[in-house]
Amino acid sequence: SQKIEQNSEALNIQEGKTATLTCNYTNYSPAYLQWYRQDPGRGPVFLLLIRENEKEKRKERLKVTFDTTLKQSLFHITASQPADSATYLCALDGGYSTLTFGKGTMLLVSP
Amino acid sequence: NAGVMQNPRHLVRRRGQEARLRCSPMKGHSHVYWYRQLPEEGLKFMVYLQKENIIDESGMPKERFSAEFPKEGPSILRIQQVVRGDSAAYFCASSPRGTPTNEKLFFGSGTQLSVL
C-alpha cells in the first residue's frame, strides 16, 4: 500500500542548531514533492517544492533534498530559531489531481 | 489581497443536524480543494472542484457529504446528518491552475467542526 512516513515523535533542538526532518514514501513515484509548515489552529503554508530531477533546493535557511532511489526527502532548517517551532508536512502526488500529505513532524526549538 | 477565506472558524452541531462550511478562494483562483484533518492524523484529501464542476471526489465519503463550487459565490462543503466521527478540522485550499502537485496550494485557516 502507499505510505508517506514522517517521524511521529517531536524533534527537540536548541536554537542555532540545524533541524533535519525526514519524509519517506512507499509505492509512489512522485514527480514533485512539497513541504509545508502548519502552526496550531492554522492551515498549512507552502515552503518549498522540489522536482524529481532536482537533488537539492534552497530558500534562505531552508534546504530540501529529494532522493528518488531511497524514496526519501530531507528538510533542513539551519540556524534554527524558536519561531521555527511548528509542524512540518511533506506532500506528494496522490493521484492525478491530488496532493497527499504525511502526518507531519513537530519541531520544537528551545532558546 | 485576501487569502483563502473560510467560515465559520468554529461550528458546533448536534448529531443529526446539517453542517455547511464555506470557502472563498484567493482572487484569481478557480480551483478549490477540501481536506479533512483529524487529531493525530494527516490531512486527508476529500474533493477537488473547479467552478461548477467536481473534478475529483475520490476522497469524499459516499453518503452524507457533498460539495459544490457555483459560478458565483463560495465553495460549500455540506455534511448532512452529522455524527460524532465528523468532528474534525476542515481545510480548504485553492490554486490558480489545476495542477496541485507541481504548484503550491494556498490554504485557509480551516473550520473546526464539533459534533455534540
Side-chain angles (χ1 to χ4, degrees):
Chain A
S1 62
Q2 293 178 316
K3 286 184 190 175
I4 302 173
E5 294 180 324
Q6 296 186 255
N7 286 347
S8 57
E9 289 186 15
L11 177 63
N12 286 275
I13 63 168
Q14 274 199 310
E15 183 175 10
K17 301 290 186 187
T18 296
T20 298
L21 305 175
T22 304
C23 176
N24 295 301
Y25 57 91
T26 308
N27 292 327
Y28 285 101
S29 298
Y32 309 89
L33 191 143
Q34 301 187 29
W35 283 87
Y36 287 76
R37 168 185 172 140
Q38 187 174 22
D39 291 283
R42 311 295 294 181
V45 175
F46 172 83
L47 296 174
L48 280 168
L49 179 151
I50 187 166
R51 295 173 173 76
E52 62 177 340
N53 61 351
E54 296 176 318
K55 296 292 183 191
E56 182 179 296
K57 199 83 169 276
R58 289 175 187 261
K59 180 183 174 184
E60 298 172 353
R61 294 185 295 111
L62 309 181
K63 184 178 87 171
V64 171
T65 63
F66 191 9
D67 189 326
T68 55
T69 301
L70 289 179
K71 296 188 183 295
Q72 180 181 80
S73 175
L74 298 179
F75 177 81
H76 307 271
I77 306 176
T78 57
S80 59
Q81 304 164 1
D84 294 328
S85 298
T87 296
Y88 291 86
L89 311 173
C90 73
L92 44 77
D93 296 351
Y96 85 98
S97 66
T98 64
L99 200 58
T100 299
F101 285 82
K103 292 183 182 180
T105 298
M106 184 182 295
L107 172 65
L108 298 169
V109 182
S110 51
Chain B
N1 188 13
V4 177
M5 304 299 292
Q6 288 189 250
N7 64 80
R9 284 284 277 135
H10 302 276
L11 182 61
V12 179
R13 285 287 177 266
R14 296 191 180 279
R15 279 179 297 171
Q17 291 184 318
E18 178 180 288
R20 292 171 72 87
L21 288 62
R22 288 177 290 278
C23 169
S24 295
M26 282 189 72
K27 188 176 180 181
H29 288 193
S30 58
H31 300 265
V32 165
Y33 314 84
W34 285 94
Y35 285 81
R36 177 165 62 177
Q37 189 172 42
L38 291 162
E40 308 303 319
E41 295 283 328
L43 284 163
K44 299 294 185 188
F45 168 77
M46 298 182 74
V47 62
Y48 159 37
L49 309 106
Q50 272 184 280
K51 286 282 186 182
E52 300 184 278
N53 285 309
I54 296 174
I55 306 301
D56 182 357
E57 55 182 351
S58 58
M60 193 99 98
K62 293 286 183 278
E63 297 178 353
R64 303 188 297 108
F65 285 72
S66 62
E68 62 175 7
F69 189 14
K71 189 176 179 181
E72 301 290 337
S75 175
I76 305 287
L77 179 67
R78 183 180 177 211
I79 311 172
Q80 295 179 288
Q81 299 175 331
V82 295
V83 300
R84 289 221 172 104
D86 297 332
S87 296
Y90 291 82
F91 290 96
C92 167
S94 72
S95 68
R97 290 173 295 274
T99 51
T101 55
N102 69 348
E103 64 179 76
K104 57 186 176 183
L105 295 185
F106 295 82
F107 281 85
S109 292
T111 293
Q112 180 64 51
L113 173 65
S114 298
V115 180
L116 305 179

